[in-house]
Amino acid sequence: MEALEYLKNRLDKEQYEKIEKTKNIALYEFLAEYIELCNPSKIFVATDSEEDELYIRNRAIMYGEERLLKTAGHTIHFDNYYDQARDKEHTYILTPHGEKLPYLNTKKRDEGLKEIREIMRDIMKGKELFILFFSLGPKNSPFMIPAVQLTDSAYVAHSEFMLYRKAYEVFVNNPSLKFMKFVHSEGELDERNTSKNLDKRRIIIDLEDEITYAANTQYAGNTIGLKKPAFRLTIARAVKEGWLSEHMFLMGVNGPNGRVSYFTGAFPSMCGKTSTCMLIGERLVGDDLSFIKIINGEARAVNVENGVFGIIQGVNKEDDPYIWEVLHKPQEIIFSNVLIHEGKPYWTGMGEEIPCEGENHSGKWWCGKKDKEGNEIPPSHKNARFTVRLEYFPNLDREALNAPNGVKLSGMIFGGRDSDTWPPVCESFNWQHGVIMKGASIESETTAATLGKEGVRKFNIMSILDFMSVHLGIYLRNYLDFGKKLGNPPRIFAVNYFLKDENGEYLNSKLDKKVWLKWMELRVHNEVDAIETPIGYLPKYEDLKELFKEVLNKEYTREEYEKQFTIRIPRLLEKIERIRKIYGSMDNVPPELFQELDAEEKRLKETQKKFGDYVSPFSFL
Ligand code: SPV
Ligand code: MN
């Protein structure tokens, strides 16, 4: 009880009592250790009360991390000009002896802990520490992972209240509660209230103690412990316990006669993840992270979160009516790294004229302004975002969001930006085929929005590569085994919204994805037939023709269908070769992976012999 004694000395009576009420000794020890290390000058403990939440909102304004905008409830937060995205380079997974992972940086545990402790010593001097309690997944459910966040950023604390389920009461009701731990400090701030010491920016993931650290950064993808730091912990925990923690949206697709079927979807960024789960007329449950567990013999899924930290670039009235509506109401919204002019937010691609002056992530801004490197600064950063609660969305499936046992998962969708290989939609033969040939084979072409060459294919297994805190082979082993435990595992689909013809023209319109979803919905209930091809099941022309008419009131021609669904054998064979090479260079890869690659290659080569390089879907009838 030394820890409790220590806390009594460091906290005001009112704050101390909130902690003491939990009777959680592990919590006392955690808090005492990090208060001693970071040495804040003031400490606030947030319960689940409205009053405590309001205190934090006000602190964000008082400390200048957020500023009020014209519309009630709207605020703006800026991150440092060089702190606009996840810092992969300075994110480390700690491993016992510094063992390497195929794609992420690792560090020897002792050394990593020593380094972060040095960086964090006295880092909160002069600052206020916020102690916060949340749950990953629905509270008091088989999915719940309780979590405690320590942060000296009122912006981070405020964001978490919008994005996660409050859980102080859960702690109070269960003194032996185990929890994940997140420690963040924005470090010293500059005159714009953004993190100053970016050279000491670190994100450290300690899988052993299930604790993460973030220092000298404010960008939410680095600092919101429950989001991406936690995700690296939950991937590892899921592998240990035999469930799935995925970088996936969760949505309900409306089927015939009031039926709703739930799908998860994994897409690399800028490949249609948000636009799919926000489709007009369907049901949003979550846009970023899902937990999937087996309950009573069924795969069931929940949204880990309770809010959206979404990309704002390109959000306009026509393409994103739901988001547009949410962003234009007087309700709690944090805009980050957009342009502010006369108290109003502006962003690239909003479909309105953008003023030629204002304030943005670079400070005072004007059209044509250049940065230190000589690059022209756009009005809003391409990764500028909005933070809101899910409850604001008119398309939210409230019941699904709050269901303690989640929803029955009917299908999983994998997609990437692919101009020339995959057809627009394809169903795998079975779980193993889908896991390997769809999920584990995702590649996505780089866009003009990222640095480097355009159109380069980047491997991104399950769109989770940035967070892959365990060895890929072990992750895949768990995935394959997960399906084996299910009598009727979710169907696995691949989609590609970016297929082009030989002249470089897109073969599909933005809205076609709705038709693919409706087709998948019918497939999971065995209500439409499909064509068996070497890469999986493709839709039949007649079914799509009917769906295009019904869903989009569009005449879908045989010619369009044939172009879109032609099996491009040379491209598919090249892809198999690339994927084989990637996994071939690793150890510990499940042998099923190579078996699936070989089998698909064989099927493709046989088809090639029979029909040539480019095979019309009609050939298989
Ligand atoms: C992503 O990049 O996948 C995001 C945003 O969802 S971040 O929180 O930065 O990870
Ligand atoms: Mn994400």
Side-chain angles (χ1 to χ4, degrees):
M1 289 324 250
E2 243 172 81
L4 193 59
E5 215 27 58
Y6 177 84
L7 295 174
K8 197 170 187 175
N9 289 327
R10 291 291 307 240
L11 275 69
D12 289 352
K13 186 163 178 288
E14 194 189 341
Q15 306 308 319
Y16 168 77
E17 279 169 3
K18 294 180 193 170
I19 295 298
E20 198 271 334
K21 206 174 157 199
T22 66
K23 311 282 181 220
N24 189 320
I25 293 166
L27 175 69
Y28 301 161
E29 286 171 353
F30 167 61
L31 295 179
E33 182 177 354
Y34 288 94
I35 289 169
E36 172 66 16
L37 179 72
C38 301
N39 198 15
S41 299
K42 193 172 160 64
I43 298 169
F44 181 76
V45 179
T47 67
D48 299 345
S49 74
E50 286 293 320
E51 194 189 330
D52 286 0
E53 227 185 295
L54 184 64
Y55 175 91
I56 283 172
R57 281 212 298 273
N58 289 336
R59 278 333 211 206
I61 303 296
M62 190 182 115
Y63 292 134
E65 279 190 272
E66 288 175 44
R67 272 179 278 154
L68 299 174
L69 297 176
K70 235 182 198 157
T71 305
H74 294 196
T75 58
I76 173 74
H77 163 79
F78 290 116
D79 296 299
N80 187 303
Y81 187 73
Y82 298 98
D83 188 29
Q84 295 284 319
R86 278 186 277 110
D87 180 2
K88 294 186 222 175
E89 201 187 326
H90 296 99
T91 300
Y92 296 99
I93 311 288
L94 303 183
T95 53
H97 307 285
E99 295 88 336
K100 299 257 175 291
L101 284 169
Y103 286 87
L104 300 197
N105 293 327
T106 61
K107 218 172 224 185
K108 194 164 178 265
R109 187 162 181 272
D110 303 352
E111 282 169 20
L113 290 177
K114 187 162 171 264
E115 183 188 13
I116 193 68
R117 283 175 170 279
E118 272 162 23
I119 288 176
M120 289 194 131
R121 177 153 310 283
D122 293 329
I123 198 170
M124 295 184 188
K125 221 169 162 179
K127 293 265 187 70
E128 179 166 4
L129 164 68
F130 303 99
I131 301 175
L132 315 160
F133 302 87
F134 296 103
S135 161
L136 294 166
K139 277 191 272 189
N140 303 316
S141 83
F143 293 93
M144 174 176 79
I145 299 180
V148 177
Q149 170 87 56
L150 309 187
T151 179
D152 58 6
S153 164
Y155 156 70
V156 167
H158 179 199
S159 300
E160 289 190 324
F161 273 111
M162 295 160 86
L163 294 173
Y164 300 96
R165 296 154 171 112
K166 299 190 269 196
Y168 173 74
E169 285 304 322
V170 178
F171 279 77
V172 169
N173 294 330
N174 184 354
S176 58
L177 199 65
K178 295 210 169 25
F179 51 94
M180 288 187 171
K181 311 170 190 83
F182 308 106
V183 185
H184 164 247
S185 173
E186 58 193 10
E188 207 183 325
L189 300 183
D190 60 17
E191 64 291 347
R192 301 190 62 227
N193 295 310
T194 72
S195 291
K196 189 172 170 183
N197 301 321
L198 297 185
D199 57 321
K200 294 207 178 73
R201 178 169 54 192
R202 295 289 182 282
I203 298 96
I204 305 287
I205 314 293
D206 182 13
L207 301 176
E208 193 173 315
D209 282 352
E210 295 195 316
I211 172 165
T212 75
Y213 307 84
N216 296 303
T217 169
Q218 283 164 310
Y219 174 68
N222 295 326
T223 58
I224 294 189
L226 284 96
K227 201 171 183 66
K228 294 311 180 359
F231 188 36
R232 281 114 171 172
L233 300 182
T234 58
I235 288 172
R237 195 196 275 196
V239 164
K240 235 182 253 164
E241 298 177 352
W243 49 280
L244 304 177
S245 169
E246 295 299 310
H247 197 203
M248 289 176 167
F249 70 59
L250 178 58
M251 73 181 296
V253 179
N254 292 307
N257 307 317
R259 180 175 70 202
V260 186
S261 309
Y262 291 92
F263 290 82
T264 52
F267 298 69
S269 54
M270 317 285 251
C271 291
K273 188 175 175 189
T274 306
S275 61
T276 305
C277 66
M278 295 274 180
L279 264 176
I280 305 173
E282 308 303 341
R283 295 161 176 257
L284 171 68
V285 189
D287 79 317
D288 198 32
L289 299 166
S290 296
F291 288 161
I292 306 166
K293 287 193 172 186
I294 300 172
I295 298 174
N296 299 328
E298 274 180 357
R300 309 220 27 125
V302 295
N303 180 3
V304 175
E305 308 178 286
N306 208 13
V308 175
F309 174 60
I311 292 187
I312 202 164
Q313 178 159 315
V315 168
N316 64 72
K317 200 173 184 167
E318 205 174 292
D319 296 331
D320 312 280
Y322 295 136
I323 302 177
W324 188 264
E325 185 184 326
V326 167
L327 296 184
H328 285 80
K329 281 196 178 155
Q331 52 196 5
E332 203 176 344
I333 305 174
I334 307 174
F335 293 87
S336 50
N337 307 314
V338 296
L339 174 69
I340 301 298
H341 177 71
E342 294 178 350
K344 252 196 82 181
Y346 295 88
W347 57 90
T348 310
M350 71 190 296
E352 281 179 17
E353 200 175 326
I354 298 179
C356 239
E357 57 174 357
E359 184 176 353
N360 74 359
H361 56 295
S362 73
K364 187 173 155 47
W365 178 85
W366 54 93
C367 280
K369 182 182 179 187
K370 291 197 169 143
D371 65 15
K372 276 196 303 221
E373 290 77 29
N375 302 313
E376 189 164 327
I377 302 168
S380 62
H381 192 273
K382 65 176 191 287
N383 195 30
R385 293 195 174 241
F386 60 91
T387 305
V388 294
R389 296 165 196 274
L390 264 168
E391 69 186 54
Y392 296 159
F393 283 86
N395 52 330
L396 174 67
D397 188 332
R398 223 167 277 276
E399 219 175 296
L401 179 68
N402 297 321
N405 283 348
V407 290
K408 177 177 190 280
L409 186 60
S410 296
M412 295 170 105
I413 307 169
F414 293 103
R417 183 177 292 268
D418 167 8
S419 58
D420 60 10
T421 308
W422 275 356
V425 62
C426 178
E427 182 187 339
S428 61
F429 294 123
N430 52 49
W431 179 261
Q432 178 172 305
H433 179 246
V435 168
I436 304 298
M437 296 310 300
K438 310 302 181 203
S441 300
I442 295 183
E443 293 176 297
S444 200
E445 288 159 21
T446 51
T447 63
T450 51
L451 292 177
K453 231 175 116 194
E454 234 177 291
V456 178
R457 277 178 247 260
K458 283 241 162 83
F459 166 69
N460 194 348
I461 176 173
M462 271 81 176
S463 300
I464 210 175
L465 197 58
D466 281 357
F467 314 100
M468 189 56 85
S469 55
V470 297
H471 189 287
L472 264 70
I474 295 167
Y475 170 81
L476 277 180
R477 179 76 270 147
N478 178 55
Y479 232 107
L480 292 169
D481 293 347
F482 185 83
K484 283 188 202 148
K485 290 182 256 178
L486 288 161
N488 183 22
R491 303 281 185 92
I492 298 181
F493 299 89
V495 295
N496 176 16
Y497 304 152
F498 303 94
L499 191 67
K500 292 178 177 174
D501 66 14
E502 58 283 1
N503 303 318
E505 299 288 330
Y506 285 114
L507 284 170
N508 292 101
S509 88
K510 277 188 192 170
L511 293 173
D512 294 0
K513 54 173 85 73
K514 185 151 176 130
V515 173
W516 316 145
L517 277 179
K518 297 293 190 194
W519 180 76
M520 293 185 249
E521 202 282 332
L522 295 172
R523 279 298 293 170
V524 301
H525 297 283
N526 300 313
E527 288 180 5
V528 277
D529 261 352
I531 304 174
E532 191 174 334
T533 77
I535 58 170
Y537 299 113
L538 295 186
K540 288 183 136 173
Y541 170 65
E542 292 71 27
D543 296 323
L544 288 185
K545 182 180 155 71
E546 210 172 296
L547 284 172
F548 266 100
K549 186 76 199 164
E550 200 181 296
V551 176
L552 301 177
N553 193 23
K554 192 185 146 180
E555 299 303 329
Y556 185 61
T557 66
R558 283 176 75 91
E559 291 68 35
E560 286 172 281
Y561 169 76
E562 194 166 26
K563 267 195 188 168
Q564 293 165 9
F565 289 91
T566 283
I567 305 283
R568 303 168 173 217
I569 294 182
R571 301 288 88 76
L572 288 157
L573 289 173
E574 285 162 16
K575 181 178 171 77
I576 288 177
E577 214 28 68
R578 290 193 298 273
I579 300 298
R580 186 184 278 134
K581 209 165 147 196
I582 289 168
Y583 288 103
S585 66
M586 288 173 215
D587 51 4
N588 274 325
V589 177
E592 291 97 316
L593 184 132
F594 300 104
Q595 288 158 16
E596 286 293 342
L597 290 172
D598 292 349
E600 188 142 317
E601 183 177 60
K602 187 160 168 262
R603 289 191 299 269
L604 283 165
K605 284 186 170 163
E606 279 164 9
T607 306
Q608 192 176 34
K609 255 191 223 141
K610 209 158 141 195
F611 297 114
D613 281 350
Y614 293 85
V615 187
S616 159
F618 293 117
S619 308
F620 300 98
L621 290 174

